[in-house]
Amino acid sequence: MAGVKEYANRHVQENRAELERIVREMLRLIGEDPDREGLLETPARVVRMFEEIFAGYSVDPGDVLGVTFDEQHEELVIVKDIVYYSQCEHHLAPFFGKVHIGYLPSGKIVGLSKLARLVDAVTRRLQVQERITSQIADILEERLHPHGVMVVVEGEHLCMCARGVKKPGSKTVTSAIRGEFRESAALRDEFLRLIRM
């Protein structure tokens, strides 16, 4: 996945007219005038946005890792602070934050940018943060067969900040731990120390 914008949700593309009609009707149902100047192009803009923010439905997340390389490096590899944006499947509200990925290769490595692309492929769909965290770890484990994987995801959820309990600034942190990371407290501590640097 060379970049999020290079992928567009094909379901959205195939159903553009119907989606625009539905957005227009939603505007009417919330008490707006969809014929008002400021809203005339809103249905089309929303559908174009859907193509982008739901682009993950048009790609197999595991496939974005692409080619792996034989490399005898078996020390910790970390890519941290990968920014993501997703949509809560419970409220259709945005949530966003950072993903930190660490793995211990077992003879195979992947291009570092592929880890960021994996994050995009997993997050650009209706999601929950817990699933994002597990999916990234599971895909890395399945495709690379590393000695261990650890993923930490931080998120700020508008469904919690802007509605409901209304607690802006609150963060949710989730982790997924596989292989040697599960067995070694020292390895977990090293990963957590390095992502805080």
Side-chain angles (χ1 to χ4, degrees), residues 13-196:
Q13 291 172 332
E14 292 166 3
N15 296 292
R16 179 177 307 287
E18 184 176 359
L19 284 165
E20 287 183 21
R21 182 191 61 73
I22 291 168
V23 171
R24 182 177 165 77
E25 182 64 7
M26 285 174 53
L27 290 169
R28 188 188 68 74
L29 290 171
I30 65 168
E32 262 295 354
D33 174 8
D35 293 318
R36 180 166 65 78
E37 182 182 5
L39 295 177
L40 284 175
E41 296 301 316
T42 296
R45 284 192 294 266
V46 169
V47 172
R48 285 193 303 272
M49 178 186 68
F50 283 176
E51 285 181 308
E52 185 177 336
I53 68 174
F54 297 128
Y57 288 111
S58 294
V59 63
D60 178 340
D63 289 347
V64 303
L65 292 178
V67 177
T68 60
F69 304 97
D70 293 328
E71 185 64 49
Q72 292 314 303
H73 180 85
E74 295 194 7
E75 302 296 324
L76 184 56
V77 175
I78 296 175
V79 178
K80 66 179 192 170
D81 296 329
I82 303 168
V83 174
Y84 74 92
Y85 300 92
S86 194
Q87 300 291 315
C88 164
E89 68 181 35
H90 301 139
H91 302 97
L92 301 183
F95 67 100
F96 54 90
K98 293 180 180 176
V99 177
H100 313 287
I101 298 171
Y103 74 102
L104 282 173
S106 64
K108 294 247 182 243
I109 61 170
V110 66
L112 299 176
S113 67
K114 302 295 194 216
L115 297 176
R117 291 175 180 151
L118 172 61
V119 169
D120 285 342
V122 170
T123 59
R124 294 289 177 150
R125 49 183 73 201
L126 294 176
Q127 274 287 19
V128 295
Q129 184 173 324
E130 296 86 346
R131 186 184 313 124
I132 288 170
T133 311
S134 296
Q135 283 182 336
I136 292 169
D138 292 343
I139 289 166
L140 288 170
E141 192 171 45
E142 176 187 310
R143 299 295 173 112
L144 298 180
H145 306 288
H147 294 301
V149 175
M150 188 161 172
V151 177
V152 172
V153 179
E154 304 171 27
E156 189 165 345
H157 296 248
L158 264 62
C159 58
M160 186 172 160
C161 299
R163 57 154 305 280
V165 296
K166 296 183 183 78
K167 297 297 178 203
S170 61
K171 296 260 193 317
T172 300
V173 179
T174 51
S175 68
I177 304 168
R178 308 284 188 271
E180 289 185 20
F181 283 95
R182 188 180 297 267
E183 300 156 15
S184 171
L187 188 57
R188 290 191 305 274
D189 289 346
E190 180 183 3
F191 173 81
L192 292 172
R193 180 177 52 80
L194 290 170
I195 67 172
R196 286 188 202 113

